């Protein structure tokens, strides 16, 4: 375990690189529901890591423990070496967060929304206006900056939230379902801006999504989460190749040997679990119904 507690890049110590995020045996329950159940996770500095899984898998709960919005009742969470339970302010200073629920205020302009975040995150007063302008430019909202957010399209609102999270120049950007409900063009736009900022700054990105195609395209590594734990981990290509090779060895057809990431997920969720009666889609629709009824 490393103890490079200042987390500064290029530290003189020749020890192992400090992970951007480490979760060790993290557990979190809502009453009797074990939302996160012994999560092991290591996100490397500079990578885009995708936490994937159906609704109810525990992604948001895990993310909220990492952001310190929820406590860490069991296990350990570190962000660039800082303990999320013991050193919450240090962790908060390092991260930008785009929550699953919309966080922009429709009655304010884009610029006002981002300025609000700049204040909350203690961007120095003298730098504030320039940093807000820069964050809006980074997500392609320069022309719309002084319009009310309620005139924005869904994709623009998501990009505004991205600007809010970027204004503090985070080393770790955490995005919870950043493209949910967006059309394919808007989804591509959001990802384009995330990648451009990441290329320019070297920040680490932790993103949750249930769009497997998107994860396949944009994530360096993915963890497939189901029932509170990561069930498979690797680059999208490694995971696809692994399943393809197994299917070929089992005498599958040529099509079987070229699985998608969604096939990998279905395989993991279906075989590794004792009482799962259906596949990933069944689980997802069951959870949706449960949410609606509950
Ligand atoms: N505030 C809450 N109160 C009670 N149960 C919750 C709450 N938030 C989440 N859960 C439950 O915890 C589990 C994991 O939810 P969540 O972390 O939101 O999953 P995901 O983000 O992967 O969809 C689900 O069974 C969900 O119903
Ligand atoms: Mg969620």
């Amino acid at each position: 375990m490393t103890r490079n507690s200042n987390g500064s890049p290029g530290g003189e110590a020749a020890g192992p690189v400090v992970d951007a995020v480490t979760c060790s045996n993290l557990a979190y329950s809502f009453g009797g529901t074990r939302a996160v159940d012994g999560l092991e996770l290591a996100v490397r500095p500079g990578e885009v890591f995708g936490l994937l899984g159906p609704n109810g898998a525990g992604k948001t709960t895990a993310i909220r423990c990492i952001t310190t919005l929820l406590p860490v009742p069991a296990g350990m969470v570190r962000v660039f070496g800082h303990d999320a339970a013991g050193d919450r302010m240090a962790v908060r200073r390092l991260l930008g967060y785009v929550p699953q629920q919309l966080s922009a205020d429709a009655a304010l302009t884009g610029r006002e929304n981002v300025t609000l975040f700049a204040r909350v995150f203690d961007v120095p007063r003298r730098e504030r206006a320039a940093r807000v302008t820069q964050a809006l430019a980074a997500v392609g909202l320069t022309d719309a900056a002084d319009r009310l957010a309620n005139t924005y399209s869904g994709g623009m609102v998501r990009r505004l939230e991205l600007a809010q999270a970027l204004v503090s120049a985070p080393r770790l950007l955490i995005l919870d379902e950043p493209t949910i409900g967006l059309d394919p063009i808007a989804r591509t736009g959001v990802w384009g801006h995330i990648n451009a900022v990441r290329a320019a700054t070297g920040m680490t990105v932790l993103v949750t999504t249930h769009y497997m195609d998107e994860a396949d395209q944009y994530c360096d590594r993915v963890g497939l989460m189901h029932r509170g734990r990561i069930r498979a981990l690797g680059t999208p290509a490694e995971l696809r190749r692994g399943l393809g090779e197994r299917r070929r060895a089992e005498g599958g057809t040529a099509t079987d040997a070229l699985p998608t990431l969604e096939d990998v997920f279905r395989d993991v969720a279906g075989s590794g679990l004792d009482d799962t009666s259906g596949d990933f889609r069944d689980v997802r629709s069951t959870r949706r119904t449960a949410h609606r009824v509950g």
Side-chain angles (χ1 to χ4, degrees), residues 9 25 31 62-63 73-75 125 134-135 140 167 179 182 187 190-191 209-211 230-231 233 275 279 293:
N25 206 18
I63 290 286
R125 206 185 168 81
Q134 196 184 359
V167 76
T179 54
L182 299 183
R187 281 166 63 184
V190 167
W191 274 107
T209 181
H210 61 246
Y211 296 125
I230 287 182
R231 312 288 175 168
L233 177 75
D275 60 342
D279 65 13
V293 174

Side-chain angles (χ1 to χ4, degrees), residues 56-71:
K59 304 182 299 296
T60 295
T61 306
I63 290 286
R64 295 182 74 213
C65 291
I66 296 167
T67 58
T68 77
L69 292 173
L70 284 178

Side-chain angles (χ1 to χ4, degrees), residues 236-256:
E238 278 167 2
L239 293 175
R240 283 189 275 99
R241 204 181 314 125
L243 178 60
E245 279 166 10
R246 218 187 66 220
R247 283 180 170 178
R248 209 171 305 124
E250 287 165 1
T253 65
T255 321
D256 288 337

Side-chain angles (χ1 to χ4, degrees), residues 30 33 35 53-62 100 176-177 287 291:
F30 295 100
T33 306
N55 287 334
K59 304 182 299 296
T60 295
T61 306
Q100 187 171 354
D176 197 357
E177 307 263 5
R287 300 275 186 190
H291 274 283

